[in-house]
Structure formats: structure tokens, C-alpha cells
């Protein structure tokens, strides 16, 4: 029989993602049902260093599911990146009789969580909390759907003005080294071309050839979605280079951090709730060192090693769709 869990800690770390609060809520409510105490750790792993925690009960979280950001705040901790810092964090957790930890975040968060368990024995479960959708073993991460819909709303609006003014627009979306936000929002937003890191077929020459070809056919409105991690460069660079080479005036819009804020969509709230409950149940059953992913809206437990070391892949069906849907693909 696994050793009983008395209390668990929950934290959010790294970049914020819509749905983190819904996940915190699910952790607290699931733990309450199992008669396990919950402590909220403020500012991520740095909160363990600073000993900044507070008890969380049902009354503290009942209305937070629709809020963006994180009620626990987030940060990145240089001290926690060291073995000494992780040892200090574990000693603090044990001094408060906290037997397990739910860490909500992305690859950096899970790397720290894995090291904490490996080095100190503190049991850890991870819940995805990143708009990038760049973790292996899950179909979607908490925050991804909201970010896509935020980007799509902006693309739709830019489409309107691009058509009215007959202009060439480059729209840059977030995602670091993953192109999921660009691909999904680009397909849904009827972009003419989508540039993303997983695709190596486009060059500046092919983009310029495409722009010249479309303009010669009388197509004066072109919208190109650019992932921030694309090897060709960001929207501003593409705007300047393509305009210089083709002589066609171009405009660029960088959406930036609006994609990380705002109310989470229903899908993100559901994924967050499934993940938070599954993480607490796994800890209560003696499981740890895993990420909770989702497949077909069912929670799945994925070892940290697989989530971090395996390559995240965009579904092949989605790649085919983006190539067919975009006239430049």
C-alpha cells in the first residue's frame, strides 16, 4: 500500500496560460474530496525558496475557474535551478508535512519537478500549463485552445482591414519553437500562407515569388501567418525583406502576450479540470514523476522523461490541412 498523503502543494511556474486557475480549482476540490490538505505555493518554485505558501480550501477557489492568469502567480527561480536550492525546497515542504506536489507549467517546470523528485524523493505530478502545445504525450496543453482562439480573433480582424485596404499583412503568433498556434489559427483564419518551424519548404525566395505571382493575378490582399520560432524570422523581418525584394508595401502585426491572457475557453477549462483531478488521484495512489496529458478528452499519465525527451509532433492530418488550405502551401 502506498504511504498516505497528508497534504499536497500546488504551484504554477513559467509562462502563464489560460486555464491554470481552473486546474488549481480542480486540485483543491479533488483533494478535499479525498480529505487531503492543500497548500498554494506562490510565485512557482521561487515560493518554495521564499517559504511563501497559504492553505487553500473550497471557498478559496470556487469562482476562479473562469479567470485568466494564476491566483498563485508565477515566476522563474534561479535558486531552484541548483541542487542546493532544490534541497532547501524539499526541506521546507517536509517541515510543513507536504508529501506531494502538483506543478502546473511547461517543459521548464517539469524539468525542475523531475529533478526535485529524483534528488529529494518529494513526489511530484505535473499538469500541462503552456499555450505552446509543445509537450509530447498529450493532444493539447492547458491554454493552447484559448491562445488559438485569441489569435484567430485577431487574424479575422486583420483579414477585414487587409481586404478593405488591399494590403499584404504578416501576422506573428506565439509558440516559441512549436508551430501549433500558427498552424491552427492560420487554417481557421484562412491565411494564404502559414510559416512555422516544422516546415522547411518555404524560403524568402518562395514567399517573394508567391507575392509577385498573386499580385500579377490581381490578388491585392494577402495574409501570411508567421510563428515566432520560424527560421525565416519574425513578422517585422519578413515584412521588411519581402517588401524590399518585391516592391510591394507590407504591414506587420505582432500579437504578443495577448495570447496568454484572458478567460479560458470551455475546452481549456475542461482539460484543466480533468488534469487537476487526475494529478491528485495519482498522488493518492502512490504514483508520481508523471505529467497528466489528455487524449480524446480522457486523462493519461505520461512519464516526465517521455513528455520532455520525446519529440512533440503536429498531427499529420493537420499538416496536410495547412498545406492544402493555404494557397501558398
Amino acid at each position: 500500500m502506498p504511504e498516505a498523503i497528508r497534504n499536497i502543494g500546488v504551484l504554477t511556474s513559467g509562462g502563464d496560460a489560460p486555464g491554470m486557475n481552473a486546474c488549481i480549482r480542480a486540485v483543491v476540490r479533488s483533494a478535499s474530496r479525498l480529505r487531503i490538505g492543500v497548500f498554494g505555493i506562490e510565485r512557482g518554485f521561487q515560493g518554495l525558496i521564499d517559504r511563501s505558501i497559504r492553505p487553500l480550501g473550497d471557498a478559496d477557489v470556487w469562482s476562479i475557474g473562469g479567470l485568466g492568469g494564476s491566483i498563485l502567480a508565477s515566476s522563474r527561480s534561479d535558486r531552484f535551478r541548483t541542487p542546493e536550492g532544490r534541497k532547501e525546497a524539499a526541506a521546507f515542504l517536509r517541515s510543513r508535512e507536504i508529501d506531494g506536489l502538483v506543478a502546473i507549467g511547461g517543459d521548464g517546470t517539469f524539468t525542475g519537478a523531475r529533478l526535485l523528485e529524483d534528488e529529494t524523493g518529494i513526489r511530484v505530478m505535473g499538469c500541462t500549463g503552456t499555450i505552446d502545445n509543445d509537450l509530447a504525450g498529450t493532444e493539447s496543453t492547458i491554454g493552447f485552445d484559448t491562445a488559438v482562439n485569441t489569435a484567430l480573433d485577431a487574424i479575422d480582424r486583420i483579414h477585414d482591414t487587409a481586404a478593405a485596404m488591399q494590403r499584404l499583412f504578416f501576422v506573428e503568433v506565439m509558440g516559441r519553437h512549436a508551430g501549433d498556434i500558427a498552424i491552427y489559427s492560420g487554417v481557421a483564419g484562412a491565411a494564404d500562407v502559414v510559416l512555422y518551424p516544422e516546415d522547411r519548404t518555404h524560403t524568402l525566395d518562395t514567399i517573394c515569388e508567391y507575392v509577385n505571382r498573386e499580385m500579377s493575378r490581381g490578388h491585392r490582399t494577402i495574409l501570411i501567418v508567421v510563428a515566432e520560432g520560424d527560421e525565416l524570422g519574425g513578422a517585422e523581418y519578413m515584412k521588411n525583406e519581402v517588401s524590399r525584394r518585391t516592391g510591394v508595401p507590407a504591414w506587420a502585426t505582432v500579437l504578443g502576450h495577448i495570447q496568454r491572457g484572458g478567460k479560458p475557453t470551455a475546452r481549456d477549462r475542461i482539460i484543466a479540470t480533468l488534469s487537476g483531478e487526475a494529478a491528485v488521484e495519482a498522488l493518492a495512489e502512490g504514483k508520481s514523476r508523471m505529467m497528466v496529458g489528455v487524449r480524446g478528452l480522457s486523462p493519461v499519465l505520461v512519464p516526465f522523461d517521455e513528455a520532455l525527451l520525446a519529440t512533440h509532433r503536429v498531427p499529420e492530418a493537420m499538416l496536410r490541412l495547412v498545406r492544402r488550405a493555404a494557397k501558398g502551401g
Side-chain angles (χ1 to χ4, degrees):
M1 292 290 292
E3 184 179 346
I5 293 277
R6 296 167 294 181
N7 299 292
I8 61 173
V10 58
L11 60 81
T12 55
S13 177
D16 60 305
M20 281 182 161
N21 284 321
C23 190
I24 294 169
R25 179 179 184 273
V27 167
V28 173
R29 290 174 65 86
S30 181
S32 177
R33 188 177 66 253
L34 296 173
R35 301 187 184 281
I36 297 171
V38 180
F39 287 89
I41 299 159
E42 298 175 330
R43 300 189 309 282
F45 291 120
Q46 186 62 37
L48 294 177
I49 304 299
D50 296 338
R51 304 195 169 201
S52 180
I53 69 171
R54 55 189 168 99
L56 292 177
D58 288 348
D60 299 305
V61 300
W62 74 273
S63 63
I64 69 171
L67 301 178
S70 168
I71 64 163
L72 295 175
S74 184
S75 70
R76 293 177 172 86
S77 173
D78 291 335
R79 175 66 176 166
F80 188 82
R81 290 190 176 99
T82 68
E84 296 78 15
R86 292 188 289 272
K87 184 177 179 181
E88 183 181 340
F92 172 59
L93 288 170
R94 291 194 172 98
S95 73
R96 301 302 295 263
E97 298 185 335
I98 296 174
D99 308 303
L101 184 66
V102 176
I104 306 168
D107 53 1
T109 300
F110 294 164
T111 298
R114 180 180 61 170
L115 289 170
L116 179 67
E117 179 158 355
D118 289 350
E119 296 171 0
T120 71
I122 295 291
R123 286 184 277 173
V124 184
M125 287 295 299
C127 291
T128 68
T130 169
I131 67 169
D132 301 335
N133 202 40
D134 58 351
L135 293 166
T138 184
E139 292 177 357
S140 186
T141 57
I142 298 167
F144 171 64
D145 187 66
T146 306
V148 168
N149 278 280
T150 299
L152 175 60
D153 181 66
I155 289 168
D156 284 345
R157 293 169 186 268
I158 292 169
H159 233 308
D160 291 344
T161 192
M165 303 304 295
Q166 295 190 321
R167 289 177 172 176
L168 166 61
F169 260 96
F170 291 89
V171 182
E172 182 178 314
V173 300
M174 296 180 80
R176 290 196 306 170
H177 306 299
D180 293 57
I181 296 176
I183 292 168
Y184 282 73
S185 64
V187 168
D192 296 286
V193 181
V194 180
L195 303 177
Y196 52 97
E198 294 85 352
D199 177 42
R200 304 295 183 183
T201 60
H202 285 300
T203 65
L204 273 171
D205 287 339
T206 64
I207 297 301
C208 291
E209 289 170 6
Y210 173 76
V211 169
N212 284 329
R213 184 173 68 248
E214 292 301 302
M215 290 291 176
S216 69
R217 292 174 177 174
H219 299 157
R220 301 296 178 185
T221 301
I222 299 174
L223 191 146
I224 298 176
V225 173
V226 184
E228 65 178 350
D230 185 74
E231 64 174 355
L232 294 182
E236 283 287 344
Y237 174 78
M238 292 295 296
K239 176 202 74 172
N240 293 332
E241 280 299 302
V242 172
S243 184
R244 181 180 67 82
R245 294 186 184 200
T246 64
V248 177
W251 284 258
T253 300
V254 179
L255 299 185
H257 286 76
I258 66 167
Q259 296 158 91
R260 292 217 319 224
K263 289 180 175 293
T265 61
R267 179 177 174 81
D268 273 333
R269 298 185 205 193
I270 291 167
I271 290 173
T273 302
L274 288 170
S275 300
E277 289 198 350
V280 173
E281 290 169 359
L283 283 171
E285 293 169 2
K287 300 172 184 175
S288 63
R289 207 176 183 273
M290 295 180 178
M291 171 195 85
V292 181
V294 290
R295 295 174 193 161
L297 278 186
S298 294
V300 293
L301 302 183
V302 182
F304 277 149
D305 288 344
E306 178 182 337
L308 292 169
L309 302 179
T311 301
H312 161 73
R313 300 188 185 279
V314 180
E316 187 58 36
M318 201 65 202
L319 292 177
R320 288 197 300 270
L321 187 59
V322 72
R323 291 167 187 150
R324 294 169 182 171
K327 290 183 292 184

